[in-house]
Each structure stands twice: as structure tokens, then as C-alpha cells.
Amino acid sequence: MEYKVTVATGTSEYSGTNNYVYITLVGEKGESERTVLDNPGLDFCRGAVDDYTVSSAADLGPLIMVRLEKHKYWVEDNWFCRYVKVSVPGQRCSYTFPCYRWLVGDGVVIELREGTAKKLSDDTLPLEIAHRKAELQERQKTYRWLAWAPGIPKCIDAKSEADLPQDVRFDNEKRSDFVGSLHYALLELSLKKLAIKFGKSWNDLDDFKRIFWKLRSPIAEYTMKHWKEDWFFGYQFMNGSNPRMITKCKELPSNFPVTGDMVQSSLIPTTTLKEELKKGNIFLVDHAIMDGIPANVIRDKTQHIAAPLCLLYEHPEKGLIPIAIQLEQKPDKDTPIFLPSDPPLAWLLAKMWVRHAEFQVFQLLSHLLRTHLVIEVICMATLRQLPAVHPIYKFLAPHLRYTLEINCRGRTQLISPDGIFKKVVSTGGDGLLILAQREYEVLTYRSLQPKFDFLDRGVTKLRDYFYRDHSLMLWDVIQNFVSGIISLYYKSDSEVEQDSELQAWINDVAVEGFVDVPGFGLASELKTKEELITLLSVVIFTSTAQHAATNNGQFDWCAWVPNTPCTMRHPPPTDKDAVTMGLIMDTLPDISQSCVQMAITWHLGRPQPDAIPMGQYVEQYFTEPAALKVIDKFRKELKELEEQIIAQNEGLELQYLYLCPSHMENSITI
């Protein structure tokens, strides 16, 4: 028998190899000869799709797997294989063996299963079952859990990204761009500091314009023009980088003694605060989680933190506007309630303190904890408990791309004791971990499901809440997609319950990953298809839409530093009449801190050059026509949804496009 073998090499830089590559075909009736893949000229060049002939003394029967080996020629040269295809000339049958892995080292051997997705119960041959077991044993040695710090989700055991297996590392282009873009931004802003004649504080608010050179965006410029306006301040609670904090206020908190007379001038004349509370038009943003967080010390100077409460009113004409702000959780004579009728600079500074709290919460909790660290748990459990042939592994793999490396870089470069947060952010150092631990204590699985999140916060009818509207549309499309895939491989609830690999996966997620959070609400076993569909929908939504909502706009909302300051250098004001422009400038980040804030938010929030948009599966793990049909339907529904979002934004001066599928990545890569 002669088999035609097609081997595809990766398309990214350094994917090709000049090493020897051998292949063995493994079928139900035996194995082929171990064959070196060698055509005249160069083989396995970057992006190449090469054809070879492999001989066998007899018919191998249905093919089960292929075995690839790589041996060095002169020097060791890693190789990225996309897939292997095998066909029998004169016969209609052909086989695809997805790979999407690196062969690293001299003499490395990997075995690839035929592409049809199979649960453990679908495998009947001892060879197939043994392969699954061996693959998981090897992966569990490679991907080990680590408690990086107490009171937060577990992560991968790696001191830095250099310790990660090559299969989960950035491609070379991504790595070069990641390092280069940050250096570019910091250099760009260092030049600005020199041009400004670097000093401690800015002189006035207009001075911040002097770092608006090449790093800019339309929304950042819009923010610069409108950031003082109350409607714009309120808008950001719905459609800024932290759109998950606002809740309906049914009654005023006991520690926020706002009276009707205080806010009457902000309401329409024919109503009262009591009536608007009953109607559901009063909303609250409470940063109680910030109370008592230790402040960072930067260049021997203690920074300052507040835990504000902000009352908002959905005005029939002006939209959502702030009507009262208290900067600490315990009211007393030194904690005044700031009002729009106060001296303009006092009201402006009070709003800045709220926005400063928003910076801490969105970066560390909404973004880092609730997307990056949550998805890392899923990523680890998937790699440890699901073999590559399992349908759920195939389903999740594209949505976990690069997540382990970006999280490792976050731990070593952003939130480490000598990271960027320590240098410029008020919660840097001990504060950020305490803040994350507090949020983790109250984190719930329910809150990660958008329908419940909006319902529980009482914001289902809030006007112009584009984040909510687009999230719910996306959730429905995602859930339909997940349901379509799951229905192909699980015909009943009992099949879910009896899938031992799937049960090991959910146990790893719930018991190992989300450790020490008894109120999280995710069971350690899956009993129904519906439970599985919901969980996978949460994973896809979190790794795409939720991450995009909190990450992709951070430069837009933070580039104009007074709008969302990363730190505050003076304590919150206690006397409204004592607020001067000089106090404001001495409170806001200094020139150096402002430049780093602008650089890091541009670096993390900009579109990535090798981004794979949501729903685009460059790496095709599924090979069955039925699964490919479901994926194609998903793409079409995403395209229709995007058209709907664009149509909704038409004519709007301030557009909300963060949740357009083409603007979101398939996974958390930044």
C-alpha cells in the first residue's frame, strides 16, 4: 500500500525546520514503515504544505494516529506542525490529523489522533485508550497548579513566561511586538518628559495635553474635551472600562446620608428623591471594597486611596448624572457629601476621586481577576484533564490561546513587587493583592453570567447601556453556538454525567482552580447538558466579550489622565471651600506617573497585530462536517450581530464598538 501524506508547517516566524522529520502511520491492522519525509530541495519551510509518499507492506485498515519524530540535522531547530493529512490513491477515504504543536528537541516524538472528536466512551481499541491516558499523564507533569498567593485563583506553576512550554508561548512576532510596543511607548513619553522639562507636578489641567502626541485615539480626544461634564461621567459607569459596578438603589445606604433637599436641584422640578427611588431612577456605585486598602509608597511618598459612594439619577433629558458623592465609607464631619451645586473645583475633584477608584477596580478586579485569572483556571484544567481528541478540548483550545503567557507576564511585569503597578499605581504593592482577595471572596459564578448580572444589579431598563445590550445579544449567539456543538457529542444528560474525563475537568476547575471560595457556586460535577452549555458559554463570553469590554477601551478612558488617574498624591478633601487648582494638580499623578499610565494603557489596550477575531478558527481542531457547519453558522450570526451593532451606533458622536465581534479577540492574549 502507498499512502499520500500531506504535512503543513506553521505560518509564523521560525515555524519551519531543517531537521529530519520521520512519520509512522498507525492503523487498526498495524503500522507503516518509519519513513523520513524528504523531497528534493527544502522541506518544512515556513507556511509550506508538502506532499510525500509513505509505503506499507499491507493495508493498515482505518487509520488511528500518526507518529511524528524530529531529529537534528546540524543544529537543533524547532518545528511547528499545523496538521497531517493522509489519503489512499484510488480510494475515497482521507484522514486529517490536527496538530498545532511545536516539536522541540532532538528525538522528540508526538502522536496525533485522527481528527474526529471522541469522548472516552467512543474509543474502543486499547491503543486509543492507552494514548489518551499517556497524553494526560504527560500534560499533568507539564502543567502543574500553583497557589501564587493565598486567596486568589490558582495558576500555572511557572516563575516567568520563559518556564512555559513552547506550545503555550507567544509566537515570535507577538513576542517581539509585545516587547517593542511597550519600549516604543515609554521612549515616546520619555521624550515628552524631556520636552516638558521633567518636574514633579503639572501646572494646570491643560498641561496634560502636552503628552497627547502620537499616542491618541478618537475616544481619548473626545474624553479630553468632555471629561468634566456630568453626563459623560455617568456614561462611563455604563459604557466605560468598568461597566459592571452600577446598581439600582432601592433605598439609600445607612452610611450615605443624602437628603432630598441636598439633591433636589439635580432632579426635575416635579419630583423628589423619595419618588425617584420608588420609580427605580436612582442608581449607586459603591466602592466599599476599597475601604482600608493600604496605599502604595512611590519614591518615598505615600499615595492615597478613597472608597467613594456615588449616587446617580437617570434624568429624562440629561441621561445618567451624578447627584451626590461621598469619598469615604464612614460619614463624619471630615467626610462631606459633595454635590453638583458645590464650588466647581470641589465637585470636579470629588469626581476625580471616584474615577481614581474606578481605575483600581477595573484594572485589578473587572479585568485581571474576573477575566484573566478566571480563564487561566479553565485553561489549566483543560490542558490537564482533556486529551486533544476530546470534543471539549477541541472546542476550548482556540479560546485559550496565549492566556498562560500573558498572565505570567502580568504577574512578573505588572503586579509583582517591582512591577509597573508598584511604580505608578496607588494600590501597587500590598494593596493590589488585598483588593483581589476581597473580590475573590465574594466572586460568584452567577455574576459571570450576563443575564443574571444585569438582573441582580437591577439595571435591565437603564437607558443607553450599550454594554448590557450588546452583551446580551452576544450571550444568545454564544449559547446557541455552544448548544449546537454539545448536541453533536452529548445526546443525553447521562452522557455528560458518565464522561469521566469531563468530570475530572470540572473537578479540577472547581476544587483545584477556584480553591477557598465556598460561595462561588460552581459544582464540582456536571450532571446535565444544560449545565455544561452554560459553563462553556461563560468561558467563551468571558474570554471574548467580557475581556474586550474591560481591556480594549482602557487607553480611550485613561489616556486623558485627569479622567481616570492611576494614583492620587494628596488625601481626599475634607473642606469643599479649600479646593484650589493647585491642590488638584498636586493630587493628580505627576508628569512621570502620567506618562507611564498613558504608555501602559496604550500598550495593553491597542489592537494586537496578530489578533484572531472572535469566531475565526485559524487552527481547525474540528474536522467533522457537522461541527464545521455549526461553526460556520456561528460566524454568520456574529456577522449579523456586528451589522446590528454598527447600525445602532450610526449617527452617535460617541460610539460603543468594543463588543463588535471583529473588534474582539477569540482569547485573552493581552
Side-chain angles (χ1 to χ4, degrees), residues 141-272:
K141 291 177 188 174
T142 304
Y143 300 97
R144 302 172 306 278
W145 288 110
L146 173 71
W148 183 73
I152 60 172
K154 282 187 180 177
C155 63
I156 188 168
D157 183 2
K159 291 179 182 177
S160 75
E161 66 275 6
D163 294 335
L164 294 173
Q166 187 67 35
D167 285 334
V168 296
R169 294 293 312 273
F170 289 169
D171 282 345
N172 191 66
E173 295 97 328
K174 166 81 171 178
R175 189 178 306 121
S176 299
D177 175 79
F178 184 89
V179 174
S181 70
L182 181 57
H183 288 166
Y184 164 76
L186 291 171
L187 177 62
E188 163 83 2
L189 291 161
S190 294
L191 293 173
K192 292 175 187 179
K193 284 193 289 186
L194 292 173
I196 297 166
K197 295 180 180 176
F198 174 76
K200 292 182 180 178
S201 297
W202 304 94
N203 293 320
D204 58 51
L205 291 170
D206 279 347
D207 277 351
F208 283 96
K209 293 177 183 176
R210 297 168 74 180
I211 53 172
F212 258 66
W213 288 6
K214 292 180 183 176
L215 304 186
R216 59 202 317 169
S217 76
I219 292 181
E221 294 190 45
Y222 188 93
T223 300
M224 180 177 68
K225 294 173 186 173
H226 298 278
W227 70 285
K228 293 181 182 179
E229 298 166 29
D230 284 354
W231 75 267
F232 185 74
F233 177 85
Y235 174 92
Q236 291 179 83
F237 289 119
M238 299 184 291
N239 303 309
S241 283
N242 193 35
R244 63 165 195 91
M245 292 286 286
I246 187 166
T247 60
K248 183 188 287 185
C249 184
K250 296 176 182 175
E251 62 177 299
L252 293 172
S254 59
N255 64 332
F256 195 14
V258 177
T259 66
D261 290 342
M262 285 181 181
V263 299
Q264 186 60 50
S265 62
S266 296
L267 310 178
I268 57 173
T270 56
T271 191
T272 65

Side-chain angles (χ1 to χ4, degrees), residues 447-506:
S447 72
L448 300 177
Q449 302 171 54
K451 288 185 178 180
F452 289 134
D453 175 43
F454 299 124
L455 191 66
D456 293 347
R457 290 192 286 117
V459 292
T460 55
K461 295 180 180 178
L462 190 54
R463 295 194 314 273
D464 298 331
Y465 199 178
F466 305 124
Y467 160 74
R468 175 202 60 209
D469 298 341
H470 300 174
S471 291
L472 292 175
M473 290 191 292
L474 276 162
W475 176 263
D476 288 342
V477 171
I478 290 168
Q479 203 165 38
N480 288 340
F481 170 50
V482 175
S483 182
I485 290 290
I486 295 306
S487 295
L488 294 178
Y489 300 103
Y490 296 91
K491 304 302 180 186
S492 65
D493 292 342
S494 62
E495 288 191 10
V496 170
E497 204 165 7
Q498 292 165 14
D499 185 343
S500 59
E501 291 171 337
L502 186 67
Q503 297 301 334
W505 174 77
I506 186 61

